[in-house]
Amino acid sequence: MNQTIKNFWAHRRQNGFVLVEIALVAMLSFYCLDNFVVTAYDTYLCQPAGDFEKKHLLVGQVGFTNNEKPVELHADTARFSAEERFHLQALANIYAIRDKVRALPEVQHAGLMDSYAGMGHYRLCNYCAEADTTRQCGAYEETFLLHEQFFESLGLTPVGGSPSASVLSDECPEDGAVITRSMALALFGTDQAVGRRIVEYDYSDPALAQGRKVVNRYTVAGVVEDFRFRPNERYSYILLVPRTALASTNAKMLIRLRPEADAKAFAISLNQPDKQLLLSAGNYVLALAHTYQDYAKQAMSQNVSVELSVIGTFIALLLLNVIIGTLGTFWLQIRKRTEDIGIMRSFGAKRRHIFGMLWSEAALLTFIAAVIGQVIWLQFAINTGLADGFTMSGTGKETDWVNTFWLHYLIVCVIQYALLLAIVTLGMVVPTFLAMYKRPVEALHHE
């Protein structure tokens, strides 16, 4: 180690350019690398505790057909306009299809919704506990329809002390909301939060001490176990708000099958023309059905592939710049040290010892440069508030692989250093081996 430090210091001028370049890359690439690693981990490796079972879950789309079927209007709708009556009958047809799906022997629960739960259709809001405004978090807000077996169909499990899934699906009050265990712990310090009050405040004015603009107030009607809300996240704080009716006739359906049913086979059968004809009402039909897992993969590929490709491309360009820069710089360095290598070879030094000496210098250089870049980025993170939240984004969402900034930071630092060291090693291999495999006589005459 002492010899490595001496050699490094002896060639400090030659190492200076590479040191500055790697330090700049370490600083600029840290945030991109962090997002890339976290997104890849949460998407492909992490399975959240308490996540709902998806093996027997399907999603469906209720669609409008152009089969020119006459729409029958009920007698009690005569007082409405033609447009209003058409809308009411459309809703009646949609609910009739839902009833037909529920009657199928393979179906355990089924319900309508405005968007596919757990597919990233969300509104990100800020919340605090009404009794203690110092407790706050950012959370996803999603709606669910009452009397549509939402919690049973999705398979969410209420925590102890919370009403059952069927009660939450049918009896959630108008000003009520159902939250996840993580959100309850963040706001109240306990998952026994039924009856407590939550305040939603304006994101543009996040200061809790003064001037907060209140948007909504909710009473906690129930607490459920954590679940994955988006395919590319582990889980987050989630708040579910009840609705009494569909927002539009573009309805989705969530279908939970009985344990003995085959989800893939059932989805294929629902898409057959004869089954679609059976599951139709008026001008509406259950037009398309997927297993939840297949649909989640599609949603994940749309949401994640773009993010990973953009971040990955940027990182690849930075890494290419480092590879080219280090290759050129080490080529010049090794050319200047070829005579020294020849002398060591003439005295019997083995190639692996020479390579180990040069590599240890490169590893020390990379370590110093990486630490400089990481410390500079850390100052930026602290000064801009990125280090204050649970995650790099500072939103207070538990979407990262660890919940503390510092452990997260240190892990990514190690990953970044290993990556930079691999690139530097790649940049020095070719010129080093070319110099080592010269005959000592040629190396000693090298200019």
Side-chain angles (χ1 to χ4, degrees):
M1 184 63 185
N2 291 335
Q3 186 61 42
T4 299
I5 296 175
K6 290 179 181 179
N7 291 336
F8 178 84
W9 183 253
H11 300 91
R12 58 187 179 276
R13 290 186 178 180
Q14 299 176 19
N15 292 328
F17 177 77
V18 178
L19 181 69
V20 172
E21 182 178 16
I22 298 176
L24 287 173
V25 172
M27 179 184 65
L28 295 175
S29 65
F30 193 96
Y31 187 78
C32 290
L33 179 63
D34 169 74
N35 279 278
F36 184 87
V37 171
V38 169
T39 300
Y41 177 85
D42 289 341
T43 300
Y44 299 109
L45 299 179
C46 188
Q47 180 69 21
D51 198 14
F52 55 91
E53 192 269 332
K54 303 179 179 69
K55 183 178 179 181
H56 298 92
L57 195 60
L58 278 77
V59 292
Q61 173 70 54
V62 180
F64 180 78
T65 63
N66 294 319
N67 56 11
E68 303 297 335
K69 284 186 178 180
V71 178
E72 298 179 2
L73 300 179
H74 296 306
D76 59 357
T77 62
R79 58 192 175 90
F80 297 106
S81 67
E83 182 178 351
E84 291 172 330
R85 284 183 286 168
F86 183 86
H87 180 74
L88 289 173
Q89 187 60 53
L91 291 178
N93 291 334
I94 292 172
Y95 281 103
I97 293 174
R98 178 210 61 186
D99 292 338
K100 291 182 178 181
V101 172
R102 286 182 178 179
L104 295 174
E106 299 92 341
V107 175
Q108 188 172 29
H109 301 288
L112 298 170
M113 60 186 63
D114 291 310
S115 61
Y116 294 128
M119 297 297 180
H121 302 274
Y122 64 92
R123 190 166 73 96
L124 180 60
C125 307
N126 293 271
Y127 301 91
C128 66
E130 187 176 59
D132 182 4
T133 56
T134 61
R135 289 183 173 272
Q136 58 175 311
C137 70
Y140 290 137
E141 181 178 306
E142 179 65 280
T143 61
F144 68 94
L145 288 178
L146 290 173
H147 314 298
E148 289 301 313
Q149 302 179 347
F150 175 80
F151 293 95
E152 304 100 305
S153 298
L154 199 57
L156 299 182
T157 305
V159 302
S162 182
S164 65
S166 59
V167 172
L168 293 176
S169 295
D170 292 334
E171 301 179 15
C172 188
E174 184 177 351
D175 68 337
V178 179
I179 62 177
T180 56
R181 182 195 291 270
S182 288
M183 187 172 180
L185 293 174
L187 295 183
F188 306 110
T190 176
D191 58 11
Q192 301 301 302
V194 176
R196 301 198 183 191
R197 298 279 289 176
I198 296 174
V199 175
E200 177 190 343
Y201 61 91
D202 189 356
Y203 181 80
S204 63
D205 188 9
L208 293 176
Q210 57 185 357
R212 182 180 69 250
K213 180 181 178 181
V214 175
V215 179
N216 286 306
R217 284 185 170 88
Y218 299 102
T219 301
V220 177
V223 181
V224 295
E225 296 288 354
D226 295 315
F227 64 96
R228 186 193 297 266
F229 190 74
R230 304 179 71 189
N232 61 322
E233 292 182 357
R234 181 176 57 181
Y235 63 88
S236 65
Y237 304 138
I238 303 169
L239 179 137
L240 300 162
V241 181
R243 293 176 58 94
T244 56
L246 285 168
S248 72
T249 56
N250 183 29
K252 279 76 175 176
M253 189 177 295
L254 193 64
I255 306 169
R256 178 162 292 280
L257 303 180
R258 299 187 185 279
E260 63 273 13
D262 186 322
K264 284 187 175 294
F266 187 75
I268 294 174
S269 70
L270 289 183
N271 294 321
Q272 298 301 316
D274 57 337
K275 202 60 170 281
Q276 288 186 337
L277 182 62
L278 178 65
L279 299 177
S280 64
N283 297 80
Y284 285 83
V285 65
L286 185 62
L288 196 62
H290 298 277
T291 65
Y292 192 97
Q293 292 175 324
D294 289 343
Y295 194 88
K297 288 179 182 179
Q298 296 178 18
M300 183 180 68
S301 64
Q302 294 171 2
N303 295 332
V304 179
S305 61
V306 174
E307 181 178 356
L308 290 178
S309 61
V310 171
I311 297 175
T313 301
F314 184 71
I315 293 177
L317 291 175
L318 287 175
L319 298 184
L320 180 62
N321 176 62
V322 175
I323 292 174
I324 295 175
T326 53
L327 182 62
T329 304
F330 275 106
W331 200 292
L332 293 175
Q333 285 184 318
I334 299 304
R335 282 178 62 88
K336 293 179 181 180
R337 299 178 65 176
T338 300
E339 186 175 348
D340 296 337
I341 294 174
I343 293 174
M344 288 187 286
R345 292 282 294 127
S346 65
F347 278 93
K350 296 183 178 180
R351 293 187 178 93
R352 65 173 181 272
H353 294 154
I354 297 173
F355 181 81
M357 179 192 69
L358 297 176
W359 182 85
S360 62
E361 291 181 40
L364 178 61
L365 182 149
T366 304
F367 176 78
I368 296 173
V371 169
I372 292 173
Q374 291 162 359
V375 169
I376 293 174
W377 188 91
L378 179 60
Q379 297 305 310
F380 169 79
I382 293 174
N383 292 331
T384 57
L386 292 177
D388 294 336
F390 284 111
T391 69
M392 294 296 191
S393 60
T395 60
K397 299 180 303 172
E398 285 189 334
T399 57
D400 289 349
W401 48 343
V402 292
N403 297 332
T404 56
F405 173 85
W406 295 107
L407 179 59
H408 184 141
Y409 173 76
L410 291 175
I411 292 174
V412 177
C413 283
V414 172
I415 294 174
Q416 186 188 43
Y417 172 68
L419 184 61
L420 292 176
L421 182 58
I423 293 170
V424 169
T425 302
L426 181 64
M428 65 167 289
V429 163
V430 175
T432 301
F433 270 74
L434 288 176
M436 287 191 304
Y437 278 88
K438 283 187 176 182
R439 291 183 299 175
V441 175
E442 295 179 0
L444 291 172
H445 287 86
H446 183 81
E447 297 183 359

